Amino acid sequence: MIPAHLLDHLPLLADGAPAAWLRARHPGVGGLAEALNLRRPDWVQAGHAAFFRAGARLLRTNSAQANAVVLAAQGLEERCEAINNSATALLRAAVGQQALVVGTVAEIRGAVLAERERAYGQQIVYLSDTGVDFLLLEDCTSVAEAVLVRRLARDAGDVPVLAVLPVDARGRTAEGQPLREAVQCLADGGLDAAGALFPREAADLRTLLEPALTAGLPLAALLGGAPACALTPEVFASRLAPLAGLGVAILGGGASIGPAHVAALADRLNMRKTGRK
């Protein structure tokens, strides 16, 4: 669950996806953006700091693809612990104790169950040991996979897990479920919070998200997609701001969302002007 001392300050503003932002900011850099934690930590820390200055108070570690399956394909499996540990350290150095530090894990695809369990479990232990506030399973296309990650997180010390499901413009998940139904399945499976990543063409987010509130889980609403020019900071803010009065716990962005988008949303909600944390 979201720590109790922050519940009086909802919604929390989240950053954009750090790996996507780094690739957009430094297009000439090849390989995994997560490897920049070791190669260019200054870039990574500067990105976190920029989102924090814009008003984000929930920030994701640059660790989404830093699992053994993906890293092995890049010849980096032996650096798995170092990449995950540095992901948290760099983010904490940028924001101190003034924001939630979220350990980001991406859904693993193209591997058998035993390999996925090993890779998830290893990454979860690394991130949990660094003291992240909770884990975020991003780009989650399967409810069963989210339940698997929650079980592994419980084994690693019971770190809370938020699973974010990409949905289409009609609010349906990759498995074809309406968002409300999918969130209820996540609740029944023991997840601590749920979220939806809406594509840029989804206009009426309130209608799509409001039914999912009945499942009783804290909800996150993320909006984003490529290309960045298709979603200006003003449009981003105008679509997410109406959700603030619904009881949504987290508002933020996905790919293509930068600090300017977060700043526009913070200004619209008067969060930066009032110094609200």
Side-chain angles (χ1 to χ4, degrees):
M1 299 292 289
I2 295 172
H5 70 282
L6 288 171
L7 291 177
D8 290 334
H9 301 289
L10 300 182
L12 296 170
L13 296 194
D15 55 1
W21 184 85
L22 284 164
R23 284 192 293 268
R25 183 80 171 180
H26 307 284
V29 176
L32 286 176
E34 289 78 0
L36 294 173
N37 294 345
L38 304 180
R39 293 167 50 200
R40 290 305 306 255
D42 54 327
W43 289 357
V44 179
Q45 189 170 333
H48 293 318
F51 277 110
F52 180 77
R53 288 194 301 271
R57 292 299 178 264
L58 184 153
L59 293 99
R60 289 165 270 192
T61 58
N62 182 41
S63 60
Q65 297 291 338
N67 63 73
V69 172
V70 175
L71 293 177
Q74 300 283 324
L76 294 170
E77 186 174 6
E78 75 282 358
R79 308 308 305 275
C80 186
E81 183 174 8
I83 291 173
N84 282 282
N85 287 353
S86 60
T88 304
L90 291 168
L91 177 47
R92 187 65 76 186
V95 304
Q97 300 299 320
Q98 299 181 68
L100 287 177
V101 169
V102 180
T104 309
V105 176
E107 182 177 291
I108 299 172
R109 297 174 188 142
V112 299
L113 177 60
E115 292 176 336
R116 300 200 315 275
E117 286 185 320
R118 181 179 71 87
Y120 283 134
Q122 183 185 61
Q123 188 180 15
I124 287 169
V125 167
Y126 292 153
L127 291 171
S128 299
D129 285 351
T130 63
V132 296
D133 293 297
F134 62 91
L135 297 170
L136 184 152
L137 176 62
E138 71 172 21
D139 198 21
C140 180
T141 63
S142 165
V143 168
E145 202 77 356
V147 174
L148 168 64
V149 169
R150 182 65 189 95
R151 173 175 64 79
L152 294 169
R154 187 175 292 114
D155 294 342
D158 209 23
V159 181
V161 177
L162 159 66
V164 174
L165 307 168
V167 298
D168 62 19
R170 300 177 302 151
R172 290 188 173 269
T173 70
E175 296 179 305
Q177 292 177 299
L179 181 58
R180 182 205 58 78
E181 182 180 316
V183 171
Q184 185 62 60
C185 290
L186 291 175
D188 295 342
L191 271 291
D192 303 281
L197 173 61
F198 294 99
R200 62 184 185 275
E201 60 268 20
D204 189 0
L205 302 187
R206 184 185 183 112
T207 299
L208 297 177
L209 191 69
E210 194 166 19
L213 291 166
T214 61
L217 288 182
L219 286 184
L222 307 182
L223 177 63
C229 61
L231 193 64
T232 66
E234 292 72 24
V235 171
F236 173 80
S238 68
R239 291 186 182 175
L240 283 179
L243 302 180
L246 287 183
V248 176
I250 299 164
L251 297 175
S256 83
I257 299 307
H261 295 79
V262 176
L265 179 58
D267 286 343
R268 184 173 284 255
L269 296 176
N270 293 318
M271 288 184 173
R272 289 204 301 166
K273 295 174 182 177
T274 60
R276 179 176 164 191
K277 295 182 181 179

